[in-house]
Amino acid sequence: MAEEIELKRKSLVRPPRRPAWGPLLRAPRAAEAWSPVRSSLPVAPLARGQTVLVRETRPTRSLELVERSYPSFPKLVVITFHTPTLSESALARAEILRVGSASDGGGRPGLSPGEIGGRVREATESEGGALVYFDAFEFLATEYTLETALKFVHWAAAQAIDTRSAFLASVDPEGLDPKDLSRLQRAFTVVP
């Protein structure tokens, strides 16, 4: 008992232990977002079964890739809010699917994600498959929900892989928080 009292007295009398400040003062490192493949934008046309996400403020590099890739596929499906600038031969082969909502009114016919999904399924399951280009992620996320937009992209990417088609999407990374961008990137086999 006397030993316990002596230990307690010594712990109260001696100066407190100094904490190791180094680990406490260092800024925490941000977790690196997961991405399947980090490379430069593919130079060759997209291959069958390939899914590519191009992170860019405005669709430019992705449209260049569409121009290089569409001749390899019998069909080109463009899912967009605004018709992109493509060559006449690409537009002649393209089925333009404009996303919309019930709030568009009578001025602009738009398709819901379900209607677009049906059209994409038809094109990708037809003989030879299709190249599917998508640049309306932000619109879908805003007009419907982020979860709906993510589910649509994951479904479209899986559909392209299963049917030996190709799926190319353009998204502005500044419009998403890092967690949601990481969730989006997981749907793709290549993220330059």
Side-chain angles (χ1 to χ4, degrees):
M1 180 94 159
E3 292 171 4
E4 292 176 10
I5 294 172
E6 185 61 26
L7 282 174
K8 181 71 172 172
R9 186 187 70 73
K10 284 183 180 180
S11 69
L12 293 173
V13 174
R14 82 174 156 198
R17 290 187 336 194
R18 294 172 126 333
W21 291 106
L24 296 174
L25 297 177
R26 272 188 230 118
R29 285 194 300 157
E32 178 125 355
W34 177 87
S35 68
V37 175
R38 292 209 184 263
S39 64
S40 60
L41 191 64
V43 176
L46 292 179
R48 296 188 178 285
Q50 191 173 25
T51 59
V52 177
L53 174 66
V54 180
R55 297 169 298 178
E56 56 190 350
T57 305
R58 294 261 182 225
T60 53
R61 297 181 312 148
S62 57
L63 292 175
E64 292 171 10
L65 194 51
V66 167
E67 289 289 346
R68 287 195 302 263
S69 302
Y70 85 88
S72 302
F73 296 89
K75 294 185 180 197
L76 170 61
V77 178
V78 177
I79 306 166
T80 188
F81 187 68
H82 301 288
T83 304
T85 306
L86 292 170
S87 66
E88 286 184 35
S89 58
L91 285 173
R93 188 184 295 187
E95 179 181 4
I96 307 290
L97 304 178
R98 286 189 177 77
V99 295
S101 67
S103 64
D104 281 343
R108 180 183 168 120
L111 301 173
S112 71
E115 293 168 317
I116 292 170
R119 297 271 196 68
V120 169
R121 175 169 288 176
E122 279 179 29
T124 57
E125 291 179 354
S126 65
E127 189 173 333
L131 169 61
V132 179
Y133 171 72
F134 176 64
D135 68 7
F137 181 82
E138 292 87 350
F139 178 83
L140 282 183
T142 302
E143 192 63 31
Y144 294 93
T145 64
L146 178 65
E147 292 305 316
T148 299
L150 286 169
K151 284 179 184 176
F152 177 79
V153 167
H154 280 265
W155 172 83
Q159 179 72 11
I161 291 169
D162 292 345
T163 61
R164 304 287 298 146
S165 294
F167 182 56
L168 172 63
S170 173
V171 68
D172 181 2
E174 299 297 319
L176 295 168
D177 69 46
K179 176 184 161 194
D180 294 329
L181 181 59
S182 177
R183 291 171 61 200
L184 176 64
Q185 290 176 161
R186 289 176 191 248
F188 296 88
T189 56
V190 178
V191 180

